[in-house]
mmCIF file of all heavy atoms in Angstrom:
data_model
loop_
_atom_site.group_PDB
_atom_site.id
_atom_site.type_symbol
_atom_site.label_atom_id
_atom_site.label_comp_id
_atom_site.label_asym_id
_atom_site.label_seq_id
_atom_site.Cartn_x
_atom_site.Cartn_y
_atom_site.Cartn_z
ATOM 1 N N CYS A 254 109.534 11.149 -28.739
ATOM 2 C CA CYS A 254 108.178 11.671 -28.535
ATOM 3 C C CYS A 254 107.388 11.778 -29.827
ATOM 4 O O CYS A 254 106.156 11.710 -29.813
ATOM 5 C CB CYS A 254 108.250 13.047 -27.877
ATOM 6 S SG CYS A 254 108.964 13.027 -26.225
ATOM 7 N N ILE A 255 108.075 11.947 -30.948
ATOM 8 C CA ILE A 255 107.371 12.067 -32.230
ATOM 9 C C ILE A 255 106.605 10.782 -32.521
ATOM 10 O O ILE A 255 105.416 10.798 -32.848
ATOM 11 C CB ILE A 255 108.366 12.359 -33.371
ATOM 12 C CG1 ILE A 255 109.063 13.702 -33.139
ATOM 13 C CG2 ILE A 255 107.646 12.358 -34.726
ATOM 14 C CD1 ILE A 255 110.176 13.973 -34.128
ATOM 15 N N ILE A 256 107.292 9.650 -32.393
ATOM 16 C CA ILE A 256 106.664 8.369 -32.713
ATOM 17 C C ILE A 256 105.580 8.018 -31.711
ATOM 18 O O ILE A 256 104.459 7.657 -32.081
ATOM 19 C CB ILE A 256 107.724 7.250 -32.780
ATOM 20 C CG1 ILE A 256 108.738 7.573 -33.880
ATOM 21 C CG2 ILE A 256 107.068 5.899 -33.040
ATOM 22 C CD1 ILE A 256 109.835 6.552 -34.020
ATOM 23 N N MET A 257 105.897 8.128 -30.420
ATOM 24 C CA MET A 257 104.899 7.815 -29.404
ATOM 25 C C MET A 257 103.676 8.712 -29.541
ATOM 26 O O MET A 257 102.525 8.269 -29.386
ATOM 27 C CB MET A 257 105.513 7.972 -28.006
ATOM 28 C CG MET A 257 106.402 6.817 -27.580
ATOM 29 S SD MET A 257 105.505 5.239 -27.526
ATOM 30 C CE MET A 257 104.250 5.587 -26.296
ATOM 31 N N GLY A 258 103.916 9.976 -29.832
ATOM 32 C CA GLY A 258 102.810 10.913 -29.971
ATOM 33 C C GLY A 258 101.902 10.587 -31.141
ATOM 34 O O GLY A 258 100.665 10.641 -31.026
ATOM 35 N N ARG A 259 102.488 10.226 -32.282
ATOM 36 C CA ARG A 259 101.682 9.952 -33.474
ATOM 37 C C ARG A 259 100.929 8.624 -33.373
ATOM 38 O O ARG A 259 99.776 8.527 -33.807
ATOM 39 C CB ARG A 259 102.558 9.943 -34.740
ATOM 40 C CG ARG A 259 103.223 11.262 -35.079
ATOM 41 C CD ARG A 259 102.346 12.463 -34.819
ATOM 42 N NE ARG A 259 101.121 12.462 -35.626
ATOM 43 C CZ ARG A 259 100.141 13.328 -35.444
ATOM 44 N NH1 ARG A 259 100.199 14.217 -34.476
ATOM 45 N NH2 ARG A 259 99.069 13.276 -36.220
ATOM 46 N N VAL A 260 101.559 7.597 -32.827
ATOM 47 C CA VAL A 260 100.852 6.313 -32.733
ATOM 48 C C VAL A 260 99.700 6.403 -31.731
ATOM 49 O O VAL A 260 98.652 5.778 -31.917
ATOM 50 C CB VAL A 260 101.805 5.148 -32.353
ATOM 51 C CG1 VAL A 260 102.871 4.959 -33.410
ATOM 52 C CG2 VAL A 260 102.448 5.376 -30.988
ATOM 53 N N GLU A 261 99.897 7.214 -30.679
ATOM 54 C CA GLU A 261 98.847 7.363 -29.675
ATOM 55 C C GLU A 261 97.743 8.293 -30.162
ATOM 56 O O GLU A 261 96.551 7.995 -30.023
ATOM 57 C CB GLU A 261 99.453 7.910 -28.374
ATOM 58 C CG GLU A 261 98.426 8.366 -27.329
ATOM 59 C CD GLU A 261 97.570 7.248 -26.771
ATOM 60 O OE1 GLU A 261 97.948 6.062 -26.937
ATOM 61 O OE2 GLU A 261 96.522 7.541 -26.179
ATOM 62 N N ALA A 262 98.122 9.418 -30.742
ATOM 63 C CA ALA A 262 97.135 10.423 -31.133
ATOM 64 C C ALA A 262 96.472 10.134 -32.469
ATOM 65 O O ALA A 262 95.338 10.570 -32.712
ATOM 66 C CB ALA A 262 97.793 11.807 -31.175
ATOM 67 N N PHE A 263 97.158 9.414 -33.363
ATOM 68 C CA PHE A 263 96.598 9.244 -34.716
ATOM 69 C C PHE A 263 96.371 7.785 -35.099
ATOM 70 O O PHE A 263 95.253 7.383 -35.388
ATOM 71 C CB PHE A 263 97.512 9.910 -35.743
ATOM 72 C CG PHE A 263 96.831 10.162 -37.056
ATOM 73 C CD1 PHE A 263 96.183 11.360 -37.295
ATOM 74 C CD2 PHE A 263 96.812 9.194 -38.053
ATOM 75 C CE1 PHE A 263 95.522 11.598 -38.508
ATOM 76 C CE2 PHE A 263 96.164 9.410 -39.260
ATOM 77 C CZ PHE A 263 95.518 10.609 -39.482
ATOM 78 N N ALA A 264 97.438 6.990 -35.126
ATOM 79 C CA ALA A 264 97.318 5.617 -35.631
ATOM 80 C C ALA A 264 96.320 4.778 -34.850
ATOM 81 O O ALA A 264 95.630 3.933 -35.423
ATOM 82 C CB ALA A 264 98.692 4.937 -35.618
ATOM 83 N N SER A 265 96.236 4.997 -33.543
ATOM 84 C CA SER A 265 95.332 4.196 -32.716
ATOM 85 C C SER A 265 93.873 4.594 -32.888
ATOM 86 O O SER A 265 92.980 3.964 -32.315
ATOM 87 C CB SER A 265 95.715 4.327 -31.231
ATOM 88 O OG SER A 265 95.574 5.671 -30.801
ATOM 89 N N LYS A 266 93.624 5.637 -33.695
ATOM 90 C CA LYS A 266 92.253 6.123 -33.859
ATOM 91 C C LYS A 266 91.817 6.213 -35.332
ATOM 92 O O LYS A 266 90.671 6.563 -35.613
ATOM 93 C CB LYS A 266 92.111 7.502 -33.224
ATOM 94 C CG LYS A 266 92.401 7.539 -31.729
ATOM 95 C CD LYS A 266 92.293 8.959 -31.184
ATOM 96 C CE LYS A 266 92.523 9.012 -29.690
ATOM 97 N NZ LYS A 266 93.891 8.649 -29.302
ATOM 98 N N ASN A 267 92.743 5.942 -36.263
ATOM 99 C CA ASN A 267 92.431 6.144 -37.681
ATOM 100 C C ASN A 267 92.744 4.908 -38.525
ATOM 101 O O ASN A 267 93.342 3.947 -38.051
ATOM 102 C CB ASN A 267 93.208 7.347 -38.207
ATOM 103 C CG ASN A 267 92.704 8.662 -37.637
ATOM 104 O OD1 ASN A 267 91.737 9.228 -38.122
ATOM 105 N ND2 ASN A 267 93.356 9.142 -36.582
ATOM 106 N N SER A 268 92.342 4.980 -39.792
ATOM 107 C CA SER A 268 92.517 3.853 -40.716
ATOM 108 C C SER A 268 93.970 3.690 -41.129
ATOM 109 O O SER A 268 94.811 4.579 -40.889
ATOM 110 C CB SER A 268 91.666 4.073 -41.966
ATOM 111 O OG SER A 268 92.166 5.191 -42.706
ATOM 112 N N ILE A 269 94.252 2.567 -41.784
ATOM 113 C CA ILE A 269 95.626 2.276 -42.222
ATOM 114 C C ILE A 269 96.086 3.321 -43.239
ATOM 115 O O ILE A 269 97.196 3.851 -43.140
ATOM 116 C CB ILE A 269 95.703 0.873 -42.854
ATOM 117 C CG1 ILE A 269 95.266 -0.189 -41.841
ATOM 118 C CG2 ILE A 269 97.125 0.585 -43.342
ATOM 119 C CD1 ILE A 269 95.148 -1.574 -42.434
ATOM 120 N N GLY A 270 95.238 3.614 -44.220
ATOM 121 C CA GLY A 270 95.612 4.569 -45.255
ATOM 122 C C GLY A 270 95.937 5.942 -44.689
ATOM 123 O O GLY A 270 96.935 6.561 -45.062
ATOM 124 N N ASP A 271 95.090 6.417 -43.780
ATOM 125 C CA ASP A 271 95.323 7.727 -43.176
ATOM 126 C C ASP A 271 96.570 7.712 -42.296
ATOM 127 O O ASP A 271 97.307 8.699 -42.231
ATOM 128 C CB ASP A 271 94.107 8.153 -42.351
ATOM 129 C CG ASP A 271 92.888 8.405 -43.225
ATOM 130 O OD1 ASP A 271 93.072 8.681 -44.427
ATOM 131 O OD2 ASP A 271 91.762 8.312 -42.709
ATOM 132 N N SER A 272 96.813 6.594 -41.633
ATOM 133 C CA SER A 272 98.001 6.471 -40.787
ATOM 134 C C SER A 272 99.279 6.507 -41.620
ATOM 135 O O SER A 272 100.290 7.079 -41.206
ATOM 136 C CB SER A 272 97.951 5.172 -39.971
ATOM 137 O OG SER A 272 96.855 5.186 -39.066
ATOM 138 N N VAL A 273 99.220 5.899 -42.812
ATOM 139 C CA VAL A 273 100.371 5.937 -43.717
ATOM 140 C C VAL A 273 100.657 7.375 -44.139
ATOM 141 O O VAL A 273 101.807 7.825 -44.123
ATOM 142 C CB VAL A 273 100.116 5.052 -44.961
ATOM 143 C CG1 VAL A 273 101.178 5.327 -46.027
ATOM 144 C CG2 VAL A 273 100.123 3.583 -44.577
ATOM 145 N N LEU A 274 99.608 8.114 -44.496
ATOM 146 C CA LEU A 274 99.779 9.512 -44.905
ATOM 147 C C LEU A 274 100.333 10.354 -43.758
ATOM 148 O O LEU A 274 101.215 11.196 -43.957
ATOM 149 C CB LEU A 274 98.445 10.094 -45.370
ATOM 150 C CG LEU A 274 97.878 9.530 -46.677
ATOM 151 C CD1 LEU A 274 96.484 10.097 -46.938
ATOM 152 C CD2 LEU A 274 98.805 9.842 -47.841
#
Side-chain angles (χ1 to χ4, degrees):
C254 296
I255 297 173
I256 299 179
M257 282 300 299
R259 296 321 298 172
V260 298
E261 169 65 17
F263 198 91
S265 63
K266 299 178 178 66
N267 290 277
S268 67
I269 301 173
D271 293 337
S272 296
V273 168
L274 292 174

